[in-house]
Amino acid sequence: MMHLPIMPILVPLIAAIACMAAGSLAMQRRLSFAAALAMFPVAIFLLASAASDNILVYVLGSWPAPFGIILVADRLSALMVTLSTLLAALVLCDAAGGGTDAGGRHFHALFQFQIAGINGAFLTGDLFNLFVFFEILLLASYGLLAHGHGREKARASLAYVVLNLSASVLFLIAVALLYGTLGTLNLADMARAFGRIPAGSEALAGTAVTLLFIVFALKAALLPLCLWLPRVYSAASAPVAALFAIMTKVGIYCILRMSTTLFTEAPAAAGSVSAWLMPLAIGTVVIGAIGVLASGRLAMIIANLVVVSTGVLLVAIATGTVEATAAGLYYLPHTTLATAAFFLLAAWIGRQRGEVGDALVAGPALPEAAATGTLYLILAVTVSGMPPFSGFIGKLMVLQSIRDTAAGPWAWVAILASGLVAMLVLARTASLFFWEPRAEAGTPIVARSAWQGTAILLLVLAGPLLAAAASPLADYALATARQLHAGAAYGAAVFGAEAGSEFRRPQ
Amino acid sequence: MEIVIAIAIGLLVATGLYLILREQTFSVILGLTLLSYAVNLLIFASGRLAVDAPPLALDQSLRQSDPLPQALVLTAIVISFGMTAYLAALALRAMGDVGSDRIDGNEEDRP
């Protein structure tokens, strides 16, 4: 129990190393599944512990904060780890069932490394450690993206890697500047140090904060830095794209963590960033909606819907009130699971349509059109935010929480219009896929896999289930938002009972 | 001392930026490498520059330099080394798959 906060990193890490040592694919699958299942009790214990407003702090090597590296599991971290656990298990079922993992030798090892990196980023309480976990999840994602062959994949991954390496350079510059001005990289200690930046260093600290924000905005795919996402996500194989659905959420998590925990004692330090966030978020919704209209493939439509969801989430975060953050935290699991499900379903449909794949052209009739169509309908309703599923509740909560703000009307127009666009495009796609098949084309027979079907079914059902459990989830989200905005609890947990450490590095 | 380090970082960043804007994959890899050198120097300098000051508290009377940035630099060097190796391998594979050394993967379209 004492070592609980480090388990979400250790379990996938050990599984990844075991997968590299394991020879056969069957053995790798077994190890990978075992790790995915072992994560469930860990996530549930973390969630249960966090639900009592208990902030678990794991001090690696027993070096007291702020000297050593710490892991912190508060409500937000526990929620994100649970989400990644759930998504990883279902995506793994699809990858193994559909044979994606047979396209290369190290799919499962890379997959588990990616989970370790994602969970680490959610749990760490140290900025440099966050950089390290970013690199772990990115390196694994580079491998997963290039997994299998194809011209489009090679082109997309080269651009993706160069972009992210440039972002890593910016991240390190920000880390160096922050260490130079604040003298610490521990998040809780930085929050305190922001209140007493030495005179003359404010500009440097401000530059560093802006650079950090640019890096997270790139991961989250915020407006000027979102154009890479549709091409990369639509080029990736479906299970990889589904797993990537949570990678943009790592960026969003970091922006949320930065704008709450880091600036609790000195909100002014976030000044330049917070002024920009709202217009950029609204712009992201708009550009995502335009991308949805311009897409020629179902996977491309979904990738652009990921951009739209980033915009909606950042509108909620930019508003900065407890209610808005809570709304965003309800919307976040919904959009992650729904877009992941849609990526898997798009690949499933594409495989059954044979050569035309998921391109938006008339193709052969689908076998089992009724079952596939029902899943598609549920997902389309969930994703575009129509009642009665989780998309509607999430968007309603976000819209309600921003009603009285200055940017409220703009955000309302953008979010409602993007929902309408998504609905129109998805309906048009459905009529192409399900109602206007070219009769003469032969129906390709597709080997069915129970694993794959179950994974897609469960992910699709997440929309209705999240709607059914809306009340407890919204309560948890509200309590999480309160904990984040109160802020003091985080620092108090990190530094223990004693008053804050007053250590400063000799200049 | 400070001015030398500052000029070195500035030169490395300028060269690196120029190179990552080139169209050949090889130049881009070189550019990223130079940028990571610059960043490593910057991290090192963030602990304040001091001559003849070991990062160890052997003798309290001697001056010490901050050991943390040196540890950070070590980690950053290892990571950027691994990333560069991966990028080089990926660029080679993209050459094979796409048949072009251009970073955007398009065919040569220069006049």
Side-chain angles (χ1 to χ4, degrees), chain B residues 1-74:
Chain B
M1 182 76 171
E2 280 81 2
I3 193 79
V4 176
I5 296 277
I7 290 174
I9 294 175
L11 272 178
L12 283 170
V13 169
T15 328
L17 270 182
Y18 174 75
L19 283 173
I20 62 169
L21 296 175
R22 307 281 296 169
E23 60 184 21
Q24 252 97 40
T25 321
F26 183 65
S27 311
V28 174
I29 297 175
L30 274 187
L32 281 169
T33 314
L34 288 182
L35 278 179
S36 71
Y37 291 167
V39 165
N40 291 342
L41 277 178
L42 179 68
I43 297 177
F44 193 78
S46 76
R48 304 297 183 271
L49 299 165
V51 183
D52 283 344
L56 291 169
L58 291 174
D59 181 352
Q60 291 301 327
S61 62
L62 287 177
R63 290 199 316 142
Q64 301 141 25
S65 58
D66 190 346
L68 189 67
Q70 308 195 5
L72 299 185
V73 163
L74 202 58

Side-chain angles (χ1 to χ4, degrees), chain A residues 308-321:
Chain A
V308 172
S309 78
T310 294
V312 175
L313 279 168
L314 287 174
V315 163
I317 292 174
T319 307
T321 59

Side-chain angles (χ1 to χ4, degrees), chain B residues 65-89:
Chain B
S65 58
D66 190 346
L68 189 67
Q70 308 195 5
L72 299 185
V73 163
L74 202 58
T75 316
I77 289 174
V78 173
I79 289 177
S80 71
F81 179 74
M83 291 296 174
T84 311
Y86 179 79
L87 186 58

Side-chain angles (χ1 to χ4, degrees), chain A residues 128 131-132 135 139 142-143 146 148-151 153-155 157-159 161-162 165-166 169 172-173 175-177 179-181 185 231 505 507, chain B residues 20 25 28 32 35-36 39-40 42-43 46-48 66 68-69 72 75-76 79 83 86-87 90-91 93-94 97-98 102-107:
Chain A
F128 193 78
F131 166 76
V132 174
E135 294 305 308
L139 191 49
Y142 302 156
H149 279 277
R151 194 187 152 89
K153 262 186 199 145
R155 288 175 49 162
S157 39
L158 201 57
V161 174
V162 170
L165 284 182
S166 317
V169 169
L172 281 176
I173 294 176
V175 165
L177 292 182
Y179 186 74
T181 48
L185 291 174
R231 184 163 145 187
R505 181 168 42 90
Q507 296 287 334
Chain B
I20 62 169
T25 321
V28 174
L32 281 169
L35 278 179
S36 71
V39 165
N40 291 342
L42 179 68
I43 297 177
S46 76
R48 304 297 183 271
D66 190 346
L68 189 67
L72 299 185
T75 316
I79 289 177
M83 291 296 174
Y86 179 79
L87 186 58
L90 188 69
R93 211 192 93 177
D97 281 3
V98 182
R102 282 172 51 112
I103 191 74
D104 56 3
N106 290 333
E107 303 300 326

Side-chain angles (χ1 to χ4, degrees), chain A residues 118-409:
Chain A
I118 290 173
N119 286 345
F122 289 149
L123 284 168
T124 183
D126 183 280
L127 194 64
F128 193 78
N129 211 216
L130 181 67
F131 166 76
V132 174
F133 282 122
F134 261 40
E135 294 305 308
I136 294 177
L137 80 90
L138 283 175
L139 191 49
S141 79
Y142 302 156
L144 284 176
L145 180 61
H147 195 80
H149 279 277
R151 194 187 152 89
E152 194 48 44
K153 262 186 199 145
R155 288 175 49 162
S157 39
L158 201 57
Y160 174 73
V161 174
V162 170
L163 199 62
N164 276 299
L165 284 182
S166 317
S168 300
V169 169
L170 289 184
F171 198 154
L172 281 176
I173 294 176
V175 165
L177 292 182
L178 284 173
Y179 186 74
T181 48
L182 303 178
T184 177
L185 291 174
N186 180 300
L187 289 184
D189 202 29
M190 281 168 77
R192 296 179 174 192
F194 266 117
R196 39 161 200 257
I197 300 176
S201 299
E202 292 93 349
L204 266 185
T207 312
V209 168
T210 312
L211 283 176
L212 212 52
F213 174 72
I214 291 174
V215 174
F216 297 151
L218 177 85
K219 311 287 181 212
L222 188 64
L223 177 58
L225 304 168
C226 64
L227 303 174
W228 59 274
L229 189 142
R231 184 163 145 187
V232 169
Y233 279 37
S234 63
S237 53
V240 175
L243 184 65
F244 281 12
I246 202 167
M247 270 212 318
T248 54
K249 276 46 177 196
V250 176
I252 288 168
Y253 164 86
C254 291
I255 291 178
L256 180 59
R257 184 61 88 194
M258 199 168 88
S259 55
T260 54
T261 308
L262 209 47
F263 298 127
T264 39
E265 295 189 18
S272 59
V273 169
S274 49
W276 280 97
L277 192 51
M278 183 57 106
L280 289 179
I282 296 175
T284 310
V285 174
V286 173
I287 200 97
I290 295 173
V292 168
L293 282 173
S295 302
R297 286 174 54 206
L298 183 52
M300 193 67 114
I301 295 179
I302 305 160
N304 279 302
L305 285 171
V306 173
V307 176
V308 172
S309 78
T310 294
V312 175
L313 279 168
L314 287 174
V315 163
I317 292 174
T319 307
T321 59
V322 172
E323 289 73 26
T325 309
L329 287 176
Y330 177 83
Y331 188 78
L332 193 149
H334 140 75
T335 181
T336 310
L337 295 173
T339 43
F342 225 150
F343 275 122
L344 297 183
L345 189 71
W348 172 268
I349 292 175
R351 224 168 295 132
Q352 293 182 331
R353 279 159 54 91
E355 274 184 10
V356 289
D358 61 350
L360 300 189
V361 291
L366 290 170
E368 304 166 337
T372 319
T374 312
L375 291 182
Y376 183 94
L377 178 70
I378 296 177
L379 268 183
V381 167
T382 309
V383 166
S384 58
M386 296 296 121
F389 299 139
S390 54
F392 173 70
I393 301 176
K395 273 193 185 164
L396 191 67
M397 283 171 71
V398 172
L399 290 177
Q400 216 161 24
S401 65
I402 58 174
R403 196 178 47 195
D404 297 327
T405 59

